[in-house]
């Protein structure tokens, strides 16, 4: 992407005058001849604000970011550049956090910078810029190179590892993370292999920073094994890489030449036995173990190692390790016995006044000058106990529940001290009631140059007054420097006299050397005689060597015969392997066919399952419909049943009525029949009576008829 050239809409006289003035200055700077001006200044007038290196970098950055080239942006770039670069350090080129890309790094490499320290941290270089890094290494004599937070992976590192291995000027390489940056490198396990290759090949590099690169335990073991043969590496920062105990043990075991080691945030457990590695280390001076999980048990192993260490540890960082009062009790005994430990950080460890009591007992007889106790549960009692140390120079008790009494007691104590220079007590319970006392004590003290009490209840006026007093003390300290220089001059003159005396002794020693040379000649003659004797012995040894060589030849023949037997057996085994391989191919083919058949059957099964699901769904839908119809039929049946019941009741009532009527008719009929019978019986009786009365008349009539 080409940078867009920004020109003012109205070319005012002021703008043209400024451009002409800048151009004249550049011409004068390059010998007064306009033809001597570099080509970059002829591209755009905005580049005249910058020097040649700045102009090339600004132009390239505009290509990378797509920014518009303008004189205002050029001025902003110059301010950013000058803010992080100082003329006091001409050998240092700082370009960190300047949004530089691949094109910018190519422009930097083409400029062949003469600085020995180049800081490119927190940019967007990535793996695509490694070729430019390779060119930069070849075009300059860089001793310190910072590539932290540039999104470089093991692939990018692998492309420049050969150049790094061959480089004989590089002393320091930073591939870690810049504090506060959101970008990271990601070397990983493969990147750890490249780092191991670098340590095996490059014997000049002294400082290596690899924090937060996901190296893991296996990568830590690779690097640790490479440290075994590297005698030049002095400073190693491999924090936040999840090395665990196995990776750290390998580094501690083989890094016997390290002077400083940072193992923070690596999941170190309390079972880590530091004493096995520290007692044999004669070089380690600074050890950082912050934010692990040592606990009281891990500190116990560490304390024993500190006591047994031969080199003498100077600085120890145990921040955020949950050592508590029990761990500090064990550590205090090691502090008492150590003759070298002068810096100690035990902040954020849940330490109470009970633990500080053990520390306060040993501090007056220790070498501790810098102590960090911040973010613990100290309170005023702990501050009062710490007032008996006369050699301490710096103390940090921020966020430690310190109130007026403890702070004022300690401040009064350091007011009488001639060594104490730095005190941090931020974020505590110091109130405005003691402002006057604080100002009085600080006003009298001309030694303290750093007193931080922000985050308390003190007024802004008090804080500003404290800062003015501290600035006064700093000026007093700076004024004392010339007197130190005069003292140094007197010391050098005294040293000069001593050198003259040494020269006189040297001349006398030269005479003695001449005498020794004479004796040397005599010794040479004696050596010649001894040499002849040795030659005679050598001849005898040569004969013995020839006999041994003959024996070796015989053994070699035996070995060759065995090798031939081995080759024959190897061929037989290979033939068997071929047959087995063919059998395997047949089995594999059958297996493949079975797998295909299985896949076909699986597909059919899937289809059948799909059909079954479809039919099941249809049946469920039909059942649902029939269920609905059944419910309707049941409703109709219930209605019909109710109507039937009504009809049955009506029919029953009708039947009862008909039966009653029939019974009545039957009764009436029976009565009528009985009546008829009665009438018949009466009629028959009447007839019988009549027949009894008239039998004679009938006979007379019969006779008359005859």
């Amino acid at each position: 992407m080409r940078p867009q050239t920004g020109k003012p809409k109205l070319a005012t006289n002021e703008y043209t005058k400024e451009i002409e003035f800048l151009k004249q200055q550049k011409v004068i700077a390059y010998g007064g001849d306009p033809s001597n001006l570099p080509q970059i200044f002829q591209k755009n007038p905005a580049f005249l604000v910058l020097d040649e290196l700045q102009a090339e970098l600004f132009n390239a950055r505009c290509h990378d970011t797509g920014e518009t080239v303008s004189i205002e942006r050029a001025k902003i770039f110059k301010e950013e550049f000058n803010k992080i670069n100082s003329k006091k350090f001409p050998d240092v080129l700082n370009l960190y956090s300047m949004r530089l890309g691949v094109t910018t790094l190519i422009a930097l490499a083409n400029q062949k910078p003469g600085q020995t320290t180049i800081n490119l941290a927190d940019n967007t270089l990535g793996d695509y810029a490694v070729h430019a890094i390779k060119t930069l290494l070849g075009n300059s004599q860089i001793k310190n190179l910072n590539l932290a937070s540039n999104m470089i992976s093991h692939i990018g590192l692998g492309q420049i590892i050969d150049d790094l291995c061959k480089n004989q000027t590089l002393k320091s390489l930073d591939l870690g993370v810049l504090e506060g940056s959101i970008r990271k490198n990601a070397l990983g396990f493969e990147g750890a292999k490249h780092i191991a290759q670098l340590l095996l090949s490059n014997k000049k590099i002294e400082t290596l920073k690899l924090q937060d690169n996901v190296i893991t335990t296996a990568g830590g073991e690779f690097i640790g094994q490479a440290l075994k043969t590297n005698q030049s590496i002095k400073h190693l920062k491999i924090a936040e890489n999840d090395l665990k105990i196995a990776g750290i043990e390998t580094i501690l075991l083989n890094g016997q030449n390290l002077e400083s080691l940072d193992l923070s945030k690596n999941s170190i457990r309390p079972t880590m036995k530091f004493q096995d590695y520290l007692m044999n280390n004669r070089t380690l001076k600074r050890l950082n173990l912050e934010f692990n999980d040592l606990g009281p048990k891990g500190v116990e192993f560490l304390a024993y190692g500190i006591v047994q260490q031969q080199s003498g540890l100077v600085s120890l960082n145990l921040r955020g390790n949950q050592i508590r009062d029990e761990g500090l009790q064990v550590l205090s005994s090691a502090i008492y016995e150590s003759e070298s430990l002068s810096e100690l950080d035990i902040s954020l460890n849940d330490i109470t006044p009970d633990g500080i009591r053990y520390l306060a007992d040993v501090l007056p007889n220790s070498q501790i000058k810098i102590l960090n106790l911040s973010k613990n549960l100290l309170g005023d009692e702990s501050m009062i106990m710490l007032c008996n140390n006369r050699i301490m120079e710096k103390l940090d008790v921020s966020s430690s529940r310190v109130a007026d009494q403890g702070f004022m007691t300690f401040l009064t104590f350091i007011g009488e001290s001639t060594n104490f220079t730095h005190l941090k007590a931020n974020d505590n319970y110091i109130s405005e009631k003691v402002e006057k006392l604080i100002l009085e004590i600080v006003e009298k003290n001309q030694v303290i140059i750093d007193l931080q009490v922000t985050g308390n209840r003190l007024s802004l006026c008090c804080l500003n007054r404290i800062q003015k007093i501290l600035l006064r003390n700093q000026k007093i300290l700076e004024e004392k420097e010339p007197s130190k220089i005069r003292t140094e001059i007197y010391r050098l003159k005294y040293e000069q006299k001593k050198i003259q005396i040494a020269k006189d002794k040297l001349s006398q020693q030269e005479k003695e050397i001449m005498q020794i040379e004479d004796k040397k000649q005599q010794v040479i003659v004696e050596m010649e005689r001894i040499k002849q004797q040795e030659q005679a012995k050598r001849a005898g040894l040569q004969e013995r060597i020839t006999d041994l060589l003959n024996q070796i030849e015989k053994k070699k023949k035996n070995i060759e015969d065995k090798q031939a037997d081995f080759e024959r057996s190897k061929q037989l085994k290979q033939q068997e392997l071929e047959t087995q391989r063919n059998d395997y191919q047949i089995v594999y083919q059958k297996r493949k066919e079975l797998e295909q058949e299985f896949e076909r059957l699986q597909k059919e099964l899937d289809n059948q399952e799909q059909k079954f699901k479809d039919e099941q769904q249809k049946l469920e839908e039909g059942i649902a419909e029939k269920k609905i119809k059944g419910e309707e039929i049941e409703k109709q049946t219930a209605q019909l049943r109710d109507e039937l019941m009504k009809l049955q009741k009506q029919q029953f009532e009708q039947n009862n009525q008909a039966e009653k009527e029939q019974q009545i008719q039957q009764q009436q009929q029976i009565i009528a029949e009985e009546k008829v019978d009665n009438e018949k019986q009466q009629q028959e009786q009447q007839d019988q009576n009549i027949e009894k009365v008239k039998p004679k008349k009938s006979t007379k009539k019969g006779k008359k008829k005859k």
Side-chain angles (χ1 to χ4, degrees):
M1 183 182 291
R2 290 185 173 276
Q4 300 175 4
T5 304
K7 295 182 180 179
K9 294 181 179 180
L10 297 174
T12 61
N13 293 331
E14 294 180 358
Y15 178 77
T16 54
K17 285 180 180 179
E18 184 180 5
I19 296 299
E20 288 298 327
F21 177 73
L22 292 172
K23 191 171 183 179
Q24 288 176 4
Q25 284 187 329
K26 291 295 181 186
V27 171
I28 293 169
Y30 283 91
D33 187 0
S35 61
N36 292 334
L37 277 176
Q39 189 177 2
I40 187 66
F41 296 120
Q42 300 174 14
K43 287 184 177 181
N44 194 305
F47 296 138
L48 295 170
V49 180
L50 312 168
D51 60 30
E52 186 177 0
L53 176 61
Q54 293 174 354
E56 291 288 353
L57 294 178
F58 176 61
N59 184 40
R61 192 181 79 168
C62 290
H63 276 276
D64 286 329
T65 61
E67 293 179 346
T68 303
V69 176
S70 65
I71 193 167
E72 290 80 9
R73 292 185 183 276
K75 289 179 180 179
I76 294 171
F77 180 85
K78 186 175 183 179
E79 288 177 2
E80 293 176 358
F81 185 90
N82 292 334
K83 186 177 180 180
I84 59 177
N85 288 280
S86 174
K87 293 181 179 179
K88 294 181 181 179
F89 306 103
D91 289 339
V92 178
L93 178 60
N94 286 317
L95 296 172
Y96 59 87
S97 303
M98 289 194 70
R99 297 181 293 123
L100 308 183
V102 179
T103 309
T104 313
L105 192 59
I106 293 171
L108 177 64
N110 293 334
Q111 286 295 306
K112 299 180 181 180
Q115 289 86 351
T116 57
T117 299
I118 297 180
N119 188 345
L120 296 168
D122 193 25
N123 286 295
T124 56
L125 302 183
D127 292 339
Y128 294 106
V130 292
H131 294 292
I133 296 172
K134 188 184 296 188
T135 306
L136 183 63
L137 289 169
N139 291 348
S140 58
Q141 298 295 316
I142 301 176
K143 293 183 179 179
N144 305 297
L145 180 60
N146 191 340
L147 296 173
S149 299
N150 268 295
M151 299 182 290
I152 299 173
S153 69
H154 64 91
I155 299 172
L157 181 61
Q159 294 176 8
I160 59 171
I161 193 64
D162 292 335
D163 297 86
L164 291 172
C165 292
K166 295 175 184 177
N167 192 291
Q168 297 298 308
T169 61
L170 193 65
K171 299 293 183 183
S172 174
L173 177 62
D174 190 345
L175 291 169
V177 176
L178 182 68
E179 186 175 359
S181 174
I182 60 173
R183 301 182 183 92
K184 291 183 180 181
N185 293 323
L187 303 184
F189 172 65
E190 295 297 328
K193 291 182 180 179
H194 297 316
I195 296 297
Q197 181 184 349
L198 174 65
L199 293 173
L200 290 171
S201 303
N202 191 318
K203 305 300 181 182
K204 299 292 183 180
I205 194 165
E206 297 178 356
T207 302
L208 188 59
K209 297 181 180 180
L210 303 169
Q211 71 271 27
D212 200 4
N213 265 291
V214 202
I215 289 175
T216 68
T217 303
E221 291 177 348
F222 263 99
I223 294 172
Q225 292 296 333
L227 286 172
K228 191 173 184 179
T229 59
N230 190 299
Q231 305 296 321
S232 64
I233 193 78
K234 303 295 181 187
H235 311 284
L236 177 62
K237 187 171 185 179
I238 194 166
E240 203 169 354
N241 275 296
D242 198 23
L243 300 182
K244 295 189 172 61
I245 292 178
I248 291 169
E249 283 180 341
T250 310
I251 292 173
L252 287 172
L253 181 64
N254 298 316
Q256 296 297 319
N257 295 305
L258 293 173
E259 294 180 5
S260 69
L261 179 60
D262 189 344
L263 295 172
S264 58
K265 299 179 183 178
N266 268 303
S267 305
I268 304 176
R269 307 297 296 174
T271 54
M272 181 74 186
K273 296 182 179 180
F274 284 96
Q275 75 274 16
D276 297 339
Y277 308 102
L278 293 179
M279 65 174 59
N280 297 322
N281 193 303
R282 300 184 179 183
T283 60
L284 190 63
K285 301 294 182 184
R286 309 182 74 86
L287 180 60
N288 188 346
L289 297 171
E290 69 177 14
F291 293 112
N292 284 295
D293 192 17
L294 296 182
K297 188 65 177 177
V299 171
E300 184 178 347
F301 294 135
L302 180 63
Y304 186 74
I306 292 171
V307 173
Q308 299 296 324
Q309 192 192 24
Q310 299 178 9
S311 64
L313 197 65
V314 174
S315 175
L316 177 62
N317 188 346
L318 293 174
R319 176 182 175 88
N321 270 283
Q322 301 177 3
I323 68 173
R324 297 189 287 276
D325 295 339
E326 299 88 346
L328 186 56
Q329 181 180 3
V330 178
L331 187 62
S332 298
S333 60
I335 293 170
Y336 178 77
E337 296 184 20
S338 175
E339 298 179 356
S340 59
L341 189 63
S342 60
E343 298 180 20
L344 179 63
D345 187 345
I346 49 174
S347 58
L348 197 62
N349 273 296
D350 297 331
I351 297 171
T352 67
D354 295 334
I356 295 297
R357 187 172 288 107
Y358 301 115
L359 181 63
D361 291 340
V362 301
L363 278 179
N365 300 316
S366 69
Q367 302 299 320
I368 298 293
K369 295 181 180 180
I370 301 174
L371 180 61
N372 189 346
L373 294 171
S374 62
K375 298 183 179 179
N376 282 302
L377 310 175
L378 302 184
D380 292 341
E381 185 181 353
S382 300
M383 296 298 292
I384 294 169
M385 286 188 285
L386 292 171
C387 289
N388 59 349
N389 188 355
R390 296 287 177 181
I391 66 169
M392 189 183 296
E393 297 177 0
K394 299 179 181 180
L395 176 65
D396 189 350
V397 289
S398 300
S399 304
S400 295
R401 303 183 181 182
V402 178
D404 294 343
Q405 183 182 359
F407 180 73
M408 292 309 302
T409 304
F410 190 81
L411 192 62
T412 305
F413 161 71
I414 65 173
E416 301 171 358
S417 174
T418 57
N419 297 320
F420 203 94
T421 58
H422 295 73
L423 175 61
K424 293 182 180 180
N426 301 318
D427 301 316
N428 281 298
Y429 304 143
I430 306 168
S431 68
E432 66 277 3
K433 297 178 183 179
V434 295
E435 286 184 355
K436 291 183 179 180
L437 293 174
I438 293 172
L439 292 174
E440 288 177 5
I441 295 171
V442 176
E443 183 73 35
K444 294 177 183 179
N445 191 321
Q446 296 184 354
V447 178
I448 189 166
I449 59 174
D450 185 15
L451 177 60
Q452 299 183 20
V453 286
T454 58
N456 290 286
R457 301 172 192 170
L458 302 177
S459 64
L460 181 61
C461 180
C462 178
L463 296 176
N464 292 335
R465 180 60 183 160
I466 291 172
Q467 290 301 317
K468 289 180 181 180
I469 296 171
L470 295 177
L471 289 173
R472 181 204 66 183
N473 292 348
Q474 291 175 6
K475 289 181 180 179
I476 293 172
L477 182 64
E478 291 173 357
E479 289 173 357
K480 289 180 180 179
E481 292 299 323
S483 62
K484 290 184 180 180
I485 294 172
R486 285 193 294 272
T487 305
E488 186 69 16
I489 290 170
Y490 293 139
R491 188 187 66 79
L492 291 174
K493 287 182 178 179
Y494 175 73
E495 292 292 335
Q496 191 175 7
K497 289 180 181 179
K498 288 173 70 175
I499 290 170
Q500 187 62 40
I501 295 169
K503 285 182 179 179
D504 296 336
K505 287 183 179 180
L506 183 62
S507 61
Q508 185 178 357
Q509 289 173 357
E510 286 177 352
K511 292 178 181 178
E512 293 176 357
I513 287 169
M514 294 300 293
Q515 295 175 0
I516 292 170
E517 287 291 332
D518 296 334
K519 291 182 180 179
K520 183 180 178 181
Q521 291 296 328
Q522 296 175 2
V523 171
I524 289 171
V525 173
E526 184 67 20
M527 289 292 293
E528 287 293 329
R529 184 180 64 79
I530 294 170
K531 191 183 289 185
Q532 291 176 359
Q533 292 178 356
E534 290 294 323
Q535 286 178 353
K537 290 180 181 179
R538 191 176 295 171
L541 290 171
Q542 191 68 31
E543 292 177 357
R544 187 177 176 185
I545 288 168
T546 54
D547 294 334
L548 291 172
L549 287 173
N550 293 331
Q551 293 177 6
I552 290 168
E553 287 294 330
K554 291 179 181 178
K555 291 181 179 180
K556 192 181 288 185
K557 287 181 180 179
N558 292 332
I559 290 169
E560 289 176 354
D561 295 335
K562 291 180 179 179
Q563 187 71 24
D565 295 334
F566 172 76
E567 290 294 330
R568 285 193 295 272
S569 63
K570 182 180 178 181
Q571 290 178 357
L572 293 173
K573 293 291 184 183
Q574 285 180 347
Q575 291 176 358
E576 292 177 0
L577 182 63
E578 284 295 325
T579 56
Q580 291 178 358
R581 190 176 292 165
N582 294 331
D583 295 337
Y584 173 77
Q585 288 293 334
I586 294 168
V587 173
Y588 177 77
Q589 188 65 30
K590 290 181 179 178
R591 180 184 173 185
K592 198 169 183 180
E593 292 174 357
L594 290 172
E595 286 178 348
Q596 291 176 355
E597 182 65 17
F598 176 77
E599 288 177 356
R600 185 181 64 77
L601 293 173
Q602 186 68 32
K603 288 180 180 178
E604 291 180 359
L605 181 61
D606 291 338
N607 294 331
Q608 291 294 331
E609 287 180 351
Q610 187 63 37
K611 290 180 180 179
F612 173 76
K613 288 179 180 178
D614 295 335
E615 291 177 357
Q616 185 179 7
Q617 187 176 3
K618 289 179 181 179
L619 288 172
E620 288 176 350
E621 291 175 354
I623 290 167
E625 291 176 357
K626 289 181 178 180
K627 190 180 289 185
I628 292 167
K629 291 181 179 179
E631 290 176 354
E632 292 177 354
I633 290 168
E634 286 179 356
K635 289 180 181 179
Q636 293 176 359
T637 304
Q639 292 176 357
L640 293 172
R641 191 180 292 115
D642 294 335
E643 293 177 357
L644 181 61
M645 290 295 291
K646 290 179 181 178
L647 292 172
Q648 285 178 350
K649 285 181 180 180
Q650 292 176 359
Q651 187 175 2
F652 179 75
E653 291 175 354
Q654 291 176 358
N655 290 333
N656 289 336
Q657 189 175 359
E659 287 177 357
K660 287 179 181 180
E661 291 176 353
Q662 189 175 3
Q663 288 176 0
I664 291 167
Q665 289 177 0
Q666 289 177 356
Q667 289 176 359
Q668 289 178 353
Q669 188 176 0
I670 292 169
I671 291 168
E673 288 176 355
E674 287 178 353
K675 188 177 181 182
V676 170
D677 292 333
N678 290 329
E679 289 177 354
K680 285 180 177 180
Q681 288 178 0
Q682 289 176 2
Q683 186 68 32
E684 288 176 354
Q685 285 179 359
Q686 288 177 2
D687 290 337
Q688 288 177 1
N689 292 327
I690 292 169
E691 287 178 356
K692 286 179 177 181
V693 174
K694 298 178 175 182
K696 294 178 175 180
K697 291 180 176 179
S698 60
T699 55
K700 289 178 175 181
K701 287 180 177 180
K703 289 179 175 179
K704 289 179 175 181
K705 287 181 176 181
K706 289 179 176 181

